[in-house]
Amino acid sequence: LLSCRLYCEEAKDPKRRSCQTVLAEALDVIIRSFAPILPHLAEEVFQYIPYKKDSEGVFRTGWINASSAWKKPGIEEAIEGACAMRDSFLGSISGKNALEYEVIIVIEPGLLFELMEALQAEETSSVSQLNEIMMASQTTLLSEVPKEIPSDANIIKGTFLINLEGGDICEQSSYKVIAQPIAKAKCPRCRRYTAETSSTPCPRCLQVLAAGKGST
C-alpha cells in the first residue's frame, strides 16, 4: 500500500502526500515515545528529520500531541472490516500473488456497506483505499451477488461485528468475498494487472506520466 502510493502516484497527489503525512506523524510519535529511554538516539534521529524547522531538540518541543483530526468516527471500524475481508481473500489464495486477482465484495445494505463505501465511492476501482487494503488489482463493491460467477472463482463467506460509539451502536453483518483471476495484463510501471497489454502502462500510470511531462 505504501510503496504504491509513494512510488506510483504523482508527486503532489493527495494520496501520496497523505501517506507521507502519516509516516511523518508515526515517526514523531515513535521518537518521543523512546526519548526518555534512549535520549541520545532520539535526539540524533530528531535532528536529522529534514522537514523539522525548529532546532530546539526533542526534549524542548513537548510530549506527544496527536491531533483530534485523526479521530474520525467509523474510520477504525471501516479499516478493521476491510482487513477482515482481505484476510479472507488472502487465505483463499494461499501462496499465490494477490495482484493476479480481482475481488468482488458483496455486502447487504447496512452499516458495514456504508463503511466500505467510505473507502471506495466507485463500484469498481483499482486505486481506491479499499482496493489498496485488499491488495488485489481491482475491487468491486456490490450489495448483491452477481448473476454470473466464473467457475474458477473462490467464494468466501464471513461476518464482521461493528462497534461504534463505545458499543452504543452494535451490528453484525455478513459478507461474501469473490476472488477470481483477473483478465488484464500486468502494468510495467505499477505492477498491477490493470493494463490492456504488458507493454503499455495502465490508465492510472499513463495519466501520472502525462502529468509529469506537462510539469517539466
Side-chain angles (χ1 to χ4, degrees):
L1 191 157
L2 293 179
S3 60
C4 185
R5 285 195 176 195
L6 290 173
Y7 300 114
C8 295
E9 300 291 354
E10 189 180 355
K12 295 183 179 180
D13 188 280
K15 291 182 179 179
R16 183 175 185 274
R17 295 303 302 271
S18 66
C19 181
Q20 291 176 311
T21 299
V22 170
L23 292 174
E25 289 290 330
L27 177 60
D28 187 80
V29 170
I30 291 172
I31 293 173
R32 297 182 193 280
S33 296
F34 69 68
I37 306 170
L38 299 168
H40 298 292
L41 176 61
E43 184 62 35
E44 183 176 5
V45 174
F46 189 82
Q47 293 299 331
Y48 273 93
I49 295 178
Y51 49 82
K52 287 290 184 183
K53 296 182 179 180
D54 55 71
S55 58
E56 293 183 355
V58 66
F59 292 99
R60 293 180 178 273
T61 53
W63 184 236
I64 298 170
N65 184 23
S67 172
S68 59
W70 293 98
K71 295 186 178 182
K72 294 183 179 180
I75 292 297
E76 182 178 353
E77 288 73 17
I79 299 297
E80 289 179 351
C83 287
M85 297 175 197
R86 178 197 62 197
D87 292 343
S88 298
F89 161 55
L90 295 179
S92 71
I93 60 162
S94 180
K96 298 180 181 178
N97 183 3
L99 290 175
E100 295 179 358
Y101 288 80
E102 61 175 310
V103 171
I104 300 174
I105 298 174
V106 182
I107 309 170
E108 292 184 358
L111 185 54
L112 182 58
F113 188 87
E114 293 175 4
L115 291 175
M116 292 305 105
E117 280 189 314
L119 300 177
Q120 179 169 302
E122 311 88 350
E123 183 176 284
T124 300
S125 178
S126 61
V127 297
S128 68
Q129 295 181 69
L130 180 58
N131 187 67
E132 289 179 342
I133 294 172
M134 294 302 294
M135 300 173 63
S137 278
Q138 179 175 286
T139 297
T140 298
L141 180 62
L142 300 175
S143 58
E144 57 184 21
V145 178
K147 294 181 179 179
E148 296 183 4
I149 301 176
S151 58
D152 58 349
N154 296 327
I155 303 178
I156 313 98
K157 298 180 181 179
T159 60
F160 182 74
L161 180 63
I162 301 171
N163 279 300
L164 288 173
E165 298 182 7
D168 291 339
I169 300 176
C170 187
E171 181 179 301
Q172 182 160 315
S173 301
S174 60
Y175 63 83
K176 292 184 180 72
V177 177
I178 304 172
Q180 58 191 48
I182 195 164
K184 295 184 179 180
K186 181 192 286 188
C187 172
R189 182 173 180 270
C190 70
R191 319 303 289 178
R192 286 181 175 175
Y193 289 76
T194 51
E196 296 301 323
T197 67
S198 58
S199 59
T200 306
C202 67
R204 188 274 301 271
C205 287
L206 285 173
Q207 184 178 354
V208 172
L209 292 171
K213 290 180 180 179
S215 61
T216 56

